[in-house]
Amino acid sequence: MKDPKNVRKNLLTVLAVLCALALGIAVGALLLPKDEHLPPDRAPEQDPNAVPYEEDTSIPGGEGGSVTLRYQATAEIDRESGTVSLAFVDPASSDQGLVIQLLIQGEVLAESGLLPPGTAVYTLELLPGAAERLEPGGYDGSFLVSYYDTENGQRSVLQTEAEIRVTVK
């Protein structure tokens, strides 16, 4: 037969552990940051208020800004020459200059200088040591694009990341 003191002691221990766990969960829920409203992973349906826009139309209430870019979704790294072949355009219709960085697994391997509106870049130099860290093959990578005001050179809060496929030779 079980000793009632041991049963009571075990029950109190289990109850204390459950209370501590519940308290920990409650405190964690209160201290963790609340989810911000995040954009959906997939594009939603077109906004019912969207209307056709013609290029020569001004924006009611004054002008804002315009960011446009074009790029090829592949890049090729030549380890021997230490260069990246790519195609990235900052069209003349944009009013922001931009800088692109080529990333693989979150690591910056190459970076452009400023591309003013109306310019393109087709070759970049790898950053020092980048060629040695890469093995030949295919990688998922991205272009991280930072925008800059063409009048005062200040970096914009706007940033774009575009997924690409990178081949290393």
Side-chain angles (χ1 to χ4, degrees):
M1 188 165 185
K2 293 185 180 180
D3 184 11
K5 286 185 180 181
N6 283 342
V7 170
R8 184 174 177 201
K9 188 176 180 181
N10 288 341
L11 283 174
L12 287 175
T13 302
V14 169
L15 184 60
V17 169
L18 289 175
C19 286
L21 184 59
L23 181 62
I25 291 171
V27 168
L30 291 173
L31 295 179
L32 290 177
K34 304 295 181 239
D35 284 342
E36 296 180 22
H37 181 74
L38 299 174
D41 289 334
R42 304 218 20 105
E45 291 188 26
Q46 180 174 319
D47 190 297
N49 296 316
V51 296
Y53 177 78
E54 295 184 24
E55 281 297 316
D56 293 336
T57 307
S58 65
I59 298 173
E63 295 297 317
S66 173
V67 174
T68 307
L69 53 90
R70 295 186 62 155
Y71 63 94
Q72 184 177 9
T74 60
E76 186 174 286
I77 293 176
D78 182 336
R79 294 184 319 151
E80 190 173 310
S81 68
T83 60
V84 182
S85 297
L86 51 92
F88 205 99
V89 180
D90 186 5
S93 60
S94 178
D95 70 358
Q96 298 281 302
L98 57 84
V99 170
I100 62 169
Q101 295 176 316
L102 173 67
L103 286 75
I104 294 179
Q105 298 174 346
E107 183 178 351
V108 178
L109 301 176
E111 181 175 275
S112 74
L114 181 69
L115 299 178
T119 63
V121 66
Y122 299 100
T123 304
L124 293 176
E125 299 289 324
L126 289 173
L127 294 176
E132 294 79 26
R133 293 190 300 270
L134 296 169
E135 293 296 322
Y139 296 86
D140 291 328
S142 63
F143 289 131
L144 182 62
V145 185
S146 299
Y147 300 92
Y148 294 84
D149 186 292
T150 56
E151 292 181 17
N152 64 23
Q154 291 287 60
R155 187 166 66 87
S156 170
V157 295
L158 180 63
Q159 221 173 24
T160 303
E161 189 163 5
E163 295 177 358
I164 63 167
R165 186 71 182 157
V166 181
T167 302
V168 177
K169 294 187 174 195

